[in-house]
Amino acid sequence: MIRPLDLTDRALAERLLQIQHAAYAVEAELIGFDGIPPLQEDLAGLMASKEHWLGRYEDEQLVGAVAYELPDADTVEISRLIVDPAYARRGHGKALLDHLDQLEPRRFSLVSTGTANGPAVTLYTSRGYTPTDRLEIAPGVYLTQFSRAS
């Protein structure tokens, strides 16, 4: 089940932060960089997020989420896609992206991830995203930006 998340619900935000920190710890290990901003975020920062959030549940347990922004009428920008590592590789990320595509059909979709994050790169490219830019965010650490037009 996927539903919108209300980050003013403290218990929900605490669970989301737990998932976020665990998911980004995995990415940090994959890309060799622990300076990923969501990995450093605290509960107050998360609860103050202005992003739109959708959560994926398994047996009433929040197991993943996608955060996105709508910068204009034609674009959806995915700012975070997180899955609890204990629930990884079960299709939760794909389900969140599928749901977002149905909920917010836009002409353009944007996302970025660590270039060395093989699972994320594979997921995005399998969904039709193509690399548009590569940025060095720290010495030897790269971020790939992707876009998809529909």
Side-chain angles (χ1 to χ4, degrees):
M1 172 182 11
I2 296 174
R3 61 181 180 241
L5 298 179
D6 175 6
L7 272 60
T8 63
D9 177 332
R10 186 177 182 87
L12 173 72
E14 287 172 347
R15 172 65 181 146
L16 184 61
L17 186 64
Q18 177 186 42
I19 294 169
Q20 177 173 289
H21 283 169
Y24 280 106
V26 170
E27 181 170 17
E29 184 70 27
L30 289 170
I31 69 172
F33 178 68
D34 65 1
I36 303 168
L39 187 57
Q40 314 303 324
E41 190 169 42
D42 63 11
L43 184 60
L46 181 63
M47 291 180 77
S49 166
K50 299 298 183 202
E51 297 152 299
H52 303 278
W53 286 86
L54 298 171
R56 170 85 168 179
Y57 290 81
E58 187 174 290
D59 299 325
E60 295 303 313
Q61 172 79 7
L62 181 65
V63 299
V66 63
Y68 63 96
E69 298 176 47
L70 303 170
D72 59 52
D74 290 331
T75 307
V76 60
E77 185 170 352
I78 299 165
S79 50
R80 311 179 205 202
L81 177 63
I82 56 175
V83 175
D84 184 327
Y87 294 86
R89 310 282 192 275
R90 297 187 197 173
H92 297 299
K94 180 184 180 308
L96 283 159
L97 294 175
D98 288 346
H99 191 86
L100 178 57
D101 284 346
Q102 292 173 15
L103 184 66
E104 297 289 354
R106 303 291 165 135
R107 190 168 167 211
F108 301 104
S109 182
L110 308 173
V111 69
S112 61
T113 191
T115 303
N117 184 344
V121 169
T122 298
L123 175 62
Y124 297 131
T125 57
S126 74
R127 298 184 48 73
Y129 287 86
T130 57
T132 57
D133 202 2
R134 189 175 127 170
L135 309 168
E136 188 172 26
I137 57 170
V141 180
Y142 294 89
L143 181 78
T144 299
Q145 296 174 323
F146 295 87
S147 68
R148 184 184 69 188
S150 47

